[in-house]
Amino acid sequence: MTILDAMRHHDLFARWFRDPVSFACWCVLLSALFGLPLDPTQLEIFRQCTGRDAPLAAGYIEAWLIVGRRGGKSLILALIAVYLAVFKVWSDRLVPGERGTVLIIAADRRQARVIFRYISALIAETPMIAAMVVGEITQDRIDLCNGISIEISTANFRSVRGYTLIAVLCDEIAFWLGDDSASPDVEILAALRPAMTTMLPDAMLLCASSPYAKRGALYDAFRKYFGRNDAPVLVWRASTATMNPSVPPSVISDAYERDPANAAAEYGAEFRSDIEAFVSREAVEACVIKGRLELPPMKGVRYVGFVDPSGGSADSMTLAIAHREGDRAILDAVREAKPPFSPEQVTAEFAKLLKTYGLKKVQGDKYAGLWPRERFEAHGITYEPSAKPKSDLYCEMLPLINGARVELLDHSKLITQICSLERRTARSGKDSIDALGHEDIANAVSGAVTGLILQDWSGGTAMLELARREMQAARAKGDAPAPVTKEWAKGSVEWQREQAGEVVPHLPREKIVPAVGGARDTDEEIRELFQATLTP
């Protein structure tokens, strides 16, 4: 019995697919997937949805379904799962005590239950299949008497290991999240494929999702396989209206009127052009000092701290401490308190750490009104709300990462969160930076390192640094450092203020302290000169 026979059989699944028109395109997909013949009309649908001339005669063991919302993905995946579990014979490849598994994976267990409920209904409400159930159908597992189980799992590359898999259904893979990798979908798929090898060529890997940003495993598969006649992997892309004509056109047209970019992804199955990765993983990893987990406090070093507060029930509360060396920001310490936690206790712990680095003040989000300020002050730390939103801090951190002007700790969650940041372009044309998931650690780190690099560029610290660089460059060439004259001082001050985007007032001549003849070649002499130069 083919899957189309089972789909149309009155004693099996016909009542789930009563409207042939609504499932006409899905029948084309199922035919291509299982190597069934297509008539000329179906072949034209296949070409439109795959960019290929014709399907492979043997069918496919891996398929990526890029389909708009409410297109019917979940029901079709459930049908395939039940068909493979019930109508295929696996016993010749299973040893005694081994069970083959159909694994349903989604971002969380709650989302995975959408497909699982369809599977449960297809089995429990079909008498000849219900008789195969061993024990009871639970919320996340069904055992059949033929040695096959159907289970729910979550998008974690550790939890999917150890199975013998006859089918994997990856639901909404474009939206998977994880703390272990910037691209958790890739790692999960890498863990799944070996578990299917002994069940080939009948085992199937099916990944279905509405599209999102132009990155991740879904987009990679689309770029690599869509439109390629000889590719062993099938990529099927179709809009909601194509796959499910029963969705009212007015619903879709209203969505396009409200937000064209969002509707094009949700209903049109188009990858979003208004969202892109904020920074490449390669650039972030180039800034990571391997094996460096934390730096101890050092005497004579000026540190800054930035905290991302939280009420303790939903988001983490995080702290980052950093210092500056030349034109580089060095991340010294990161702390994260995961919910649930006591804000009072965490504030006390953060304050204690700040004091070990000689800090009496910390900057942070304007979160939750006055409570962070009051609680930190109770522990002897002044809390200053940041004048900039986190999106601006991320924008200022980008050139530091791309220019390798920041040293990051070897902290996997920090790397993940920075890599998961996305740049969105609103209809107004303004860009904003945000994450698909959590970003608490990245927020604290961006506040600390950007504050370090951008502070004092119109003050004496910047002038001292610029003079030091020029001296080092001259000495590297074997030249004597040039004298630090009043003209150099005035021009450098104005130039640095221009770089910071400030209005540049011309300094009154009487405020320029004449330089003592000869080159200034000690830090203290340079410091004295510029402190005097910039004194009102």
Side-chain angles (χ1 to χ4, degrees), residues 56-115:
L56 298 180
Y60 301 87
I61 62 173
E62 181 175 332
W64 294 73
L65 314 181
I66 307 170
V67 177
R69 296 282 294 276
R70 311 308 302 172
K73 299 185 295 294
S74 298
L75 178 56
I76 294 300
L77 288 179
L79 171 67
I80 295 172
V82 175
Y83 178 77
L84 291 175
V86 173
F87 292 92
K88 288 283 186 179
V89 177
W90 307 96
S91 56
D92 58 334
R93 281 163 282 183
L94 294 172
V95 300
E98 183 182 24
R99 294 191 71 85
T101 302
V102 175
L103 203 59
I104 307 162
I105 306 176
D108 54 48
R109 302 183 79 83
R110 188 174 182 178
Q111 189 176 53
R113 289 194 181 101
V114 174
I115 295 178

Short mmCIF file of all heavy atoms in Angstrom, two decimals, residues 56-115:
data_model
loop_
_atom_site.label_atom_id
_atom_site.label_comp_id
_atom_site.label_asym_id
_atom_site.label_seq_id
_atom_site.Cartn_x
_atom_site.Cartn_y
_atom_site.Cartn_z
N LEU A 56 13.55 12.52 -8.80
CA LEU A 56 14.33 11.30 -8.94
C LEU A 56 13.38 10.11 -8.88
O LEU A 56 12.45 10.07 -8.07
CB LEU A 56 15.37 11.19 -7.83
CG LEU A 56 16.43 12.31 -7.77
CD1 LEU A 56 17.39 12.05 -6.61
CD2 LEU A 56 17.18 12.41 -9.08
N ALA A 57 13.63 9.12 -9.71
CA ALA A 57 12.73 7.97 -9.81
C ALA A 57 12.65 7.20 -8.50
O ALA A 57 11.59 6.64 -8.15
CB ALA A 57 13.19 7.04 -10.93
N ALA A 58 13.73 7.17 -7.75
CA ALA A 58 13.76 6.39 -6.50
C ALA A 58 13.20 7.15 -5.32
O ALA A 58 13.10 6.60 -4.22
CB ALA A 58 15.19 5.96 -6.20
N GLY A 59 12.83 8.42 -5.51
CA GLY A 59 12.35 9.21 -4.39
C GLY A 59 13.49 9.83 -3.60
O GLY A 59 14.64 9.89 -4.08
N TYR A 60 13.21 10.24 -2.35
CA TYR A 60 14.21 10.96 -1.55
C TYR A 60 14.16 10.47 -0.11
O TYR A 60 13.10 10.13 0.42
CB TYR A 60 13.94 12.47 -1.57
CG TYR A 60 13.95 13.06 -2.97
CD1 TYR A 60 12.79 13.08 -3.75
CD2 TYR A 60 15.12 13.58 -3.51
CE1 TYR A 60 12.80 13.61 -5.03
CE2 TYR A 60 15.13 14.11 -4.79
CZ TYR A 60 13.97 14.12 -5.54
OH TYR A 60 13.98 14.65 -6.82
N ILE A 61 15.31 10.45 0.53
CA ILE A 61 15.36 10.10 1.95
C ILE A 61 15.53 11.34 2.82
O ILE A 61 15.49 11.25 4.05
CB ILE A 61 16.50 9.10 2.25
CG1 ILE A 61 17.86 9.73 1.90
CG2 ILE A 61 16.29 7.81 1.48
CD1 ILE A 61 19.04 8.88 2.32
N GLU A 62 15.72 12.49 2.18
CA GLU A 62 15.82 13.75 2.93
C GLU A 62 15.08 14.84 2.16
O GLU A 62 15.27 14.99 0.95
CB GLU A 62 17.28 14.17 3.13
CG GLU A 62 17.45 15.45 3.93
CD GLU A 62 18.90 15.79 4.23
OE1 GLU A 62 19.74 14.86 4.31
OE2 GLU A 62 19.20 17.00 4.38
N ALA A 63 14.24 15.59 2.87
CA ALA A 63 13.47 16.65 2.23
C ALA A 63 13.34 17.83 3.17
O ALA A 63 13.22 17.67 4.39
CB ALA A 63 12.10 16.15 1.82
N TRP A 64 13.37 19.02 2.58
CA TRP A 64 13.21 20.27 3.32
C TRP A 64 11.97 20.97 2.77
O TRP A 64 11.91 21.29 1.57
CB TRP A 64 14.44 21.15 3.15
CG TRP A 64 15.66 20.55 3.79
CD1 TRP A 64 16.38 19.48 3.33
CD2 TRP A 64 16.29 20.96 5.00
NE1 TRP A 64 17.42 19.21 4.17
CE2 TRP A 64 17.40 20.10 5.21
CE3 TRP A 64 16.04 21.98 5.92
CZ2 TRP A 64 18.23 20.23 6.31
CZ3 TRP A 64 16.87 22.11 7.02
CH2 TRP A 64 17.95 21.24 7.20
N LEU A 65 10.99 21.19 3.63
CA LEU A 65 9.72 21.76 3.22
C LEU A 65 9.61 23.19 3.73
O LEU A 65 9.43 23.43 4.92
CB LEU A 65 8.56 20.91 3.76
CG LEU A 65 8.70 19.39 3.60
CD1 LEU A 65 7.47 18.69 4.16
CD2 LEU A 65 8.94 19.02 2.15
N ILE A 66 9.77 24.13 2.82
CA ILE A 66 9.69 25.56 3.16
C ILE A 66 8.30 26.03 2.74
O ILE A 66 8.06 26.33 1.56
CB ILE A 66 10.79 26.35 2.43
CG1 ILE A 66 12.16 25.73 2.71
CG2 ILE A 66 10.76 27.82 2.86
CD1 ILE A 66 13.27 26.28 1.84
N VAL A 67 7.40 26.05 3.69
CA VAL A 67 5.98 26.26 3.39
C VAL A 67 5.42 27.33 4.32
O VAL A 67 5.76 27.39 5.50
CB VAL A 67 5.18 24.95 3.55
CG1 VAL A 67 3.69 25.17 3.31
CG2 VAL A 67 5.72 23.88 2.59
N GLY A 68 4.53 28.17 3.79
CA GLY A 68 3.92 29.23 4.57
C GLY A 68 3.06 28.70 5.71
O GLY A 68 2.66 27.53 5.74
N ARG A 69 2.76 29.59 6.66
CA ARG A 69 1.95 29.24 7.82
C ARG A 69 0.57 28.75 7.39
O ARG A 69 0.01 29.24 6.42
CB ARG A 69 1.80 30.45 8.74
CG ARG A 69 3.11 30.95 9.36
CD ARG A 69 3.55 30.08 10.51
NE ARG A 69 2.62 30.16 11.63
CZ ARG A 69 2.65 31.12 12.55
NH1 ARG A 69 3.53 32.09 12.47
NH2 ARG A 69 1.78 31.10 13.55
N ARG A 70 0.02 27.81 8.16
CA ARG A 70 -1.29 27.21 7.91
C ARG A 70 -1.35 26.48 6.57
O ARG A 70 -2.42 26.27 6.01
CB ARG A 70 -2.42 28.25 7.97
CG ARG A 70 -2.41 29.15 9.18
CD ARG A 70 -2.34 28.37 10.46
NE ARG A 70 -3.46 27.42 10.60
CZ ARG A 70 -3.56 26.50 11.58
NH1 ARG A 70 -2.57 26.38 12.45
NH2 ARG A 70 -4.61 25.72 11.64
N GLY A 71 -0.18 26.07 6.09
CA GLY A 71 -0.15 25.36 4.81
C GLY A 71 -0.44 23.88 4.93
O GLY A 71 -0.61 23.20 3.92
N GLY A 72 -0.46 23.34 6.17
CA GLY A 72 -0.74 21.92 6.36
C GLY A 72 0.47 21.06 6.64
O GLY A 72 0.40 19.84 6.58
N LYS A 73 1.62 21.68 6.98
CA LYS A 73 2.87 20.93 7.19
C LYS A 73 2.73 19.87 8.29
O LYS A 73 3.16 18.73 8.13
CB LYS A 73 4.00 21.89 7.57
CG LYS A 73 4.33 22.94 6.54
CD LYS A 73 5.54 23.76 6.95
CE LYS A 73 5.32 24.59 8.20
NZ LYS A 73 4.32 25.66 8.00
N SER A 74 2.14 20.26 9.42
CA SER A 74 2.12 19.37 10.58
C SER A 74 1.33 18.10 10.31
O SER A 74 1.75 16.99 10.68
CB SER A 74 1.53 20.11 11.79
OG SER A 74 2.33 21.22 12.15
N LEU A 75 0.17 18.23 9.67
CA LEU A 75 -0.65 17.05 9.38
C LEU A 75 0.06 16.12 8.40
O LEU A 75 0.02 14.88 8.56
CB LEU A 75 -2.01 17.49 8.83
CG LEU A 75 -2.98 16.37 8.44
CD1 LEU A 75 -3.23 15.43 9.62
CD2 LEU A 75 -4.29 16.96 7.92
N ILE A 76 0.70 16.68 7.39
CA ILE A 76 1.39 15.84 6.41
C ILE A 76 2.58 15.13 7.05
O ILE A 76 2.83 13.94 6.79
CB ILE A 76 1.84 16.68 5.20
CG1 ILE A 76 0.61 17.20 4.44
CG2 ILE A 76 2.74 15.87 4.27
CD1 ILE A 76 -0.30 16.10 3.88
N LEU A 77 3.34 15.82 7.90
CA LEU A 77 4.45 15.17 8.60
C LEU A 77 3.94 14.04 9.48
O LEU A 77 4.56 12.97 9.58
CB LEU A 77 5.21 16.19 9.43
CG LEU A 77 6.08 17.19 8.67
CD1 LEU A 77 6.75 18.15 9.64
CD2 LEU A 77 7.12 16.49 7.81
N ALA A 78 2.79 14.26 10.13
CA ALA A 78 2.21 13.21 10.97
C ALA A 78 1.81 12.00 10.12
O ALA A 78 2.03 10.84 10.52
CB ALA A 78 1.00 13.76 11.71
N LEU A 79 1.22 12.25 8.96
CA LEU A 79 0.85 11.15 8.06
C LEU A 79 2.07 10.34 7.66
O LEU A 79 2.05 9.10 7.70
CB LEU A 79 0.16 11.73 6.83
CG LEU A 79 -0.12 10.74 5.69
CD1 LEU A 79 -1.16 9.70 6.12
CD2 LEU A 79 -0.55 11.47 4.42
N ILE A 80 3.14 11.01 7.27
CA ILE A 80 4.37 10.31 6.86
C ILE A 80 4.91 9.49 8.03
O ILE A 80 5.33 8.33 7.84
CB ILE A 80 5.42 11.32 6.37
CG1 ILE A 80 4.93 12.03 5.09
CG2 ILE A 80 6.75 10.62 6.11
CD1 ILE A 80 5.82 13.16 4.63
N ALA A 81 4.88 10.07 9.24
CA ALA A 81 5.40 9.36 10.41
C ALA A 81 4.64 8.07 10.67
O ALA A 81 5.24 7.00 10.90
CB ALA A 81 5.33 10.27 11.63
N VAL A 82 3.31 8.15 10.63
CA VAL A 82 2.49 6.96 10.88
C VAL A 82 2.67 5.94 9.76
O VAL A 82 2.78 4.72 10.02
CB VAL A 82 1.01 7.35 11.04
CG1 VAL A 82 0.14 6.10 11.17
CG2 VAL A 82 0.82 8.25 12.25
N TYR A 83 2.73 6.38 8.52
CA TYR A 83 2.92 5.46 7.40
C TYR A 83 4.23 4.69 7.53
O TYR A 83 4.28 3.46 7.37
CB TYR A 83 2.89 6.24 6.08
CG TYR A 83 3.13 5.36 4.87
CD1 TYR A 83 2.12 4.55 4.36
CD2 TYR A 83 4.37 5.34 4.24
CE1 TYR A 83 2.34 3.73 3.26
CE2 TYR A 83 4.60 4.53 3.14
CZ TYR A 83 3.59 3.73 2.66
OH TYR A 83 3.81 2.93 1.57
N LEU A 84 5.33 5.42 7.85
CA LEU A 84 6.62 4.75 7.99
C LEU A 84 6.62 3.80 9.19
O LEU A 84 7.21 2.71 9.13
CB LEU A 84 7.73 5.79 8.15
CG LEU A 84 8.05 6.65 6.91
CD1 LEU A 84 9.08 7.70 7.26
CD2 LEU A 84 8.54 5.78 5.75
N ALA A 85 5.97 4.19 10.28
CA ALA A 85 5.97 3.37 11.49
C ALA A 85 5.13 2.11 11.33
O ALA A 85 5.46 1.06 11.92
CB ALA A 85 5.45 4.19 12.67
N VAL A 86 4.08 2.17 10.54
CA VAL A 86 3.11 1.07 10.47
C VAL A 86 3.26 0.22 9.21
O VAL A 86 3.19 -1.02 9.26
CB VAL A 86 1.67 1.62 10.58
CG1 VAL A 86 0.65 0.52 10.34
CG2 VAL A 86 1.46 2.27 11.94
N PHE A 87 3.47 0.85 8.08
CA PHE A 87 3.40 0.12 6.80
C PHE A 87 4.76 -0.31 6.26
O PHE A 87 4.80 -1.07 5.28
CB PHE A 87 2.67 0.98 5.76
CG PHE A 87 1.21 1.17 6.07
CD1 PHE A 87 0.78 2.26 6.79
CD2 PHE A 87 0.27 0.23 5.64
CE1 PHE A 87 -0.56 2.43 7.08
CE2 PHE A 87 -1.07 0.39 5.93
CZ PHE A 87 -1.50 1.50 6.66
N LYS A 88 5.83 0.15 6.85
CA LYS A 88 7.15 -0.33 6.44
C LYS A 88 7.60 -1.45 7.39
O LYS A 88 7.28 -1.43 8.58
CB LYS A 88 8.18 0.82 6.51
CG LYS A 88 8.02 1.86 5.42
CD LYS A 88 8.57 1.38 4.09
CE LYS A 88 8.54 2.48 3.04
NZ LYS A 88 9.11 2.02 1.75
N VAL A 89 8.34 -2.39 6.86
CA VAL A 89 8.85 -3.49 7.68
C VAL A 89 10.29 -3.18 8.10
O VAL A 89 11.16 -2.99 7.24
CB VAL A 89 8.80 -4.82 6.90
CG1 VAL A 89 9.40 -5.95 7.74
CG2 VAL A 89 7.37 -5.16 6.51
N TRP A 90 10.52 -3.14 9.41
CA TRP A 90 11.83 -2.79 9.94
C TRP A 90 12.47 -3.94 10.73
O TRP A 90 13.62 -3.84 11.13
CB TRP A 90 11.73 -1.57 10.85
CG TRP A 90 11.06 -0.39 10.22
CD1 TRP A 90 9.75 -0.05 10.34
CD2 TRP A 90 11.66 0.58 9.36
NE1 TRP A 90 9.48 1.09 9.61
CE2 TRP A 90 10.63 1.50 9.00
CE3 TRP A 90 12.93 0.78 8.85
CZ2 TRP A 90 10.87 2.58 8.16
CZ3 TRP A 90 13.17 1.87 8.02
CH2 TRP A 90 12.15 2.76 7.68
N SER A 91 11.71 -4.98 10.96
CA SER A 91 12.17 -6.04 11.86
C SER A 91 13.47 -6.70 11.40
O SER A 91 14.25 -7.19 12.22
CB SER A 91 11.08 -7.11 12.02
OG SER A 91 10.69 -7.63 10.76
N ASP A 92 13.69 -6.75 10.08
CA ASP A 92 14.91 -7.39 9.58
C ASP A 92 16.16 -6.58 9.89
O ASP A 92 17.27 -7.08 9.75
CB ASP A 92 14.79 -7.63 8.08
CG ASP A 92 14.53 -6.35 7.30
OD1 ASP A 92 13.96 -5.40 7.89
OD2 ASP A 92 14.88 -6.29 6.11
N ARG A 93 15.97 -5.32 10.31
CA ARG A 93 17.14 -4.46 10.62
C ARG A 93 17.24 -4.13 12.10
O ARG A 93 18.13 -3.39 12.52
CB ARG A 93 17.06 -3.17 9.80
CG ARG A 93 17.50 -3.35 8.36
CD ARG A 93 17.05 -2.22 7.47
NE ARG A 93 15.63 -2.36 7.11
CZ ARG A 93 14.99 -1.53 6.27
NH1 ARG A 93 15.63 -0.51 5.75
NH2 ARG A 93 13.72 -1.72 5.98
N LEU A 94 16.32 -4.64 12.91
CA LEU A 94 16.35 -4.39 14.35
C LEU A 94 16.76 -5.68 15.07
O LEU A 94 16.19 -6.75 14.83
CB LEU A 94 14.97 -3.95 14.85
CG LEU A 94 14.45 -2.60 14.34
CD1 LEU A 94 12.99 -2.40 14.76
CD2 LEU A 94 15.32 -1.46 14.85
N VAL A 95 17.73 -5.59 15.95
CA VAL A 95 18.15 -6.76 16.72
C VAL A 95 17.25 -6.86 17.95
O VAL A 95 16.59 -5.88 18.34
CB VAL A 95 19.63 -6.63 17.15
CG1 VAL A 95 20.52 -6.53 15.92
CG2 VAL A 95 19.83 -5.43 18.07
N PRO A 96 17.17 -8.03 18.59
CA PRO A 96 16.33 -8.18 19.78
C PRO A 96 16.66 -7.14 20.86
O PRO A 96 17.83 -6.91 21.19
CB PRO A 96 16.66 -9.60 20.26
CG PRO A 96 17.05 -10.32 19.02
CD PRO A 96 17.78 -9.31 18.19
N GLY A 97 15.63 -6.49 21.34
CA GLY A 97 15.81 -5.46 22.35
C GLY A 97 15.96 -4.06 21.80
O GLY A 97 15.91 -3.07 22.55
N GLU A 98 16.14 -3.95 20.50
CA GLU A 98 16.30 -2.64 19.86
C GLU A 98 14.96 -2.18 19.31
O GLU A 98 14.20 -2.95 18.74
CB GLU A 98 17.32 -2.74 18.74
CG GLU A 98 17.62 -1.41 18.05
CD GLU A 98 18.59 -1.56 16.90
OE1 GLU A 98 18.69 -2.68 16.34
OE2 GLU A 98 19.26 -0.58 16.56
N ARG A 99 14.66 -0.91 19.48
CA ARG A 99 13.43 -0.34 18.94
C ARG A 99 13.78 0.76 17.95
O ARG A 99 14.68 1.58 18.17
CB ARG A 99 12.55 0.26 20.05
CG ARG A 99 12.00 -0.77 21.01
CD ARG A 99 10.92 -0.16 21.91
NE ARG A 99 9.69 0.12 21.17
CZ ARG A 99 8.72 -0.77 20.94
NH1 ARG A 99 8.83 -2.02 21.39
NH2 ARG A 99 7.63 -0.43 20.27
N GLY A 100 13.07 0.75 16.83
CA GLY A 100 13.20 1.85 15.89
C GLY A 100 12.32 3.01 16.36
O GLY A 100 11.26 2.79 16.95
N THR A 101 12.76 4.22 16.09
CA THR A 101 12.06 5.38 16.63
C THR A 101 11.77 6.41 15.54
O THR A 101 12.63 6.69 14.70
CB THR A 101 12.89 6.07 17.74
OG1 THR A 101 13.14 5.11 18.78
CG2 THR A 101 12.15 7.26 18.33
N VAL A 102 10.55 6.92 15.58
CA VAL A 102 10.20 8.13 14.84
C VAL A 102 10.33 9.28 15.82
O VAL A 102 9.63 9.33 16.84
CB VAL A 102 8.77 8.08 14.28
CG1 VAL A 102 8.41 9.40 13.62
CG2 VAL A 102 8.61 6.93 13.31
N LEU A 103 11.25 10.20 15.56
CA LEU A 103 11.54 11.28 16.51
C LEU A 103 10.98 12.60 15.98
O LEU A 103 11.26 12.99 14.84
CB LEU A 103 13.05 11.40 16.71
CG LEU A 103 13.53 12.05 18.00
CD1 LEU A 103 13.03 11.31 19.22
CD2 LEU A 103 15.06 12.13 18.02
N ILE A 104 10.20 13.26 16.81
CA ILE A 104 9.64 14.57 16.47
C ILE A 104 10.42 15.62 17.26
O ILE A 104 10.45 15.57 18.50
CB ILE A 104 8.15 14.65 16.84
CG1 ILE A 104 7.39 13.48 16.22
CG2 ILE A 104 7.56 15.98 16.40
CD1 ILE A 104 6.05 13.24 16.88
N ILE A 105 11.03 16.55 16.56
CA ILE A 105 11.87 17.55 17.22
C ILE A 105 11.35 18.94 16.89
O ILE A 105 11.06 19.26 15.73
CB ILE A 105 13.34 17.44 16.77
CG1 ILE A 105 13.86 16.02 16.98
CG2 ILE A 105 14.22 18.44 17.52
CD1 ILE A 105 15.27 15.81 16.47
N ALA A 106 11.23 19.77 17.91
CA ALA A 106 10.85 21.16 17.74
C ALA A 106 11.65 22.00 18.72
O ALA A 106 12.47 21.48 19.49
CB ALA A 106 9.35 21.35 17.96
N ALA A 107 11.41 23.29 18.72
CA ALA A 107 12.16 24.19 19.60
C ALA A 107 11.92 23.83 21.06
O ALA A 107 12.81 23.97 21.90
CB ALA A 107 11.78 25.64 19.33
N ASP A 108 10.72 23.38 21.40
CA ASP A 108 10.42 22.92 22.75
C ASP A 108 9.37 21.82 22.66
O ASP A 108 8.77 21.57 21.62
CB ASP A 108 9.94 24.07 23.65
CG ASP A 108 8.77 24.83 23.05
OD1 ASP A 108 7.80 24.19 22.62
OD2 ASP A 108 8.82 26.08 23.02
N ARG A 109 9.13 21.15 23.78
CA ARG A 109 8.22 20.00 23.79
C ARG A 109 6.79 20.44 23.48
O ARG A 109 6.01 19.69 22.88
CB ARG A 109 8.29 19.30 25.15
CG ARG A 109 9.68 18.82 25.52
CD ARG A 109 9.67 18.07 26.82
NE ARG A 109 9.19 16.71 26.67
CZ ARG A 109 9.93 15.69 26.27
NH1 ARG A 109 11.19 15.86 25.94
NH2 ARG A 109 9.41 14.49 26.17
N ARG A 110 6.43 21.62 23.92
CA ARG A 110 5.08 22.11 23.68
C ARG A 110 4.80 22.22 22.18
O ARG A 110 3.74 21.82 21.69
CB ARG A 110 4.92 23.46 24.37
CG ARG A 110 3.51 24.00 24.36
CD ARG A 110 3.47 25.27 25.21
NE ARG A 110 2.12 25.80 25.28
CZ ARG A 110 1.80 26.88 25.98
NH1 ARG A 110 2.72 27.52 26.67
NH2 ARG A 110 0.56 27.31 26.00
N GLN A 111 5.76 22.76 21.44
CA GLN A 111 5.58 22.89 20.00
C GLN A 111 5.61 21.53 19.31
O GLN A 111 4.86 21.29 18.35
CB GLN A 111 6.67 23.79 19.42
CG GLN A 111 6.46 24.18 17.97
CD GLN A 111 7.53 25.14 17.49
OE1 GLN A 111 8.72 24.89 17.62
NE2 GLN A 111 7.11 26.26 16.93
N ALA A 112 6.43 20.61 19.81
CA ALA A 112 6.51 19.28 19.21
C ALA A 112 5.20 18.52 19.35
O ALA A 112 4.89 17.63 18.55
CB ALA A 112 7.64 18.48 19.85
N ARG A 113 4.40 18.86 20.36
CA ARG A 113 3.14 18.16 20.58
C ARG A 113 2.10 18.47 19.50
O ARG A 113 1.10 17.76 19.40
CB ARG A 113 2.58 18.49 21.97
CG ARG A 113 3.38 17.85 23.10
CD ARG A 113 2.65 17.89 24.42
NE ARG A 113 3.46 17.29 25.46
CZ ARG A 113 4.17 17.98 26.36
NH1 ARG A 113 4.13 19.30 26.34
NH2 ARG A 113 4.90 17.36 27.26
N VAL A 114 2.30 19.51 18.71
CA VAL A 114 1.36 19.80 17.62
C VAL A 114 1.33 18.63 16.65
O VAL A 114 0.27 18.09 16.32
CB VAL A 114 1.75 21.11 16.90
CG1 VAL A 114 0.85 21.32 15.68
CG2 VAL A 114 1.65 22.30 17.85
N ILE A 115 2.50 18.21 16.18
CA ILE A 115 2.56 17.05 15.29
C ILE A 115 2.18 15.78 16.03
O ILE A 115 1.48 14.91 15.50
CB ILE A 115 3.97 16.92 14.68
CG1 ILE A 115 4.28 18.12 13.77
CG2 ILE A 115 4.11 15.62 13.89
CD1 ILE A 115 5.67 18.10 13.18
#
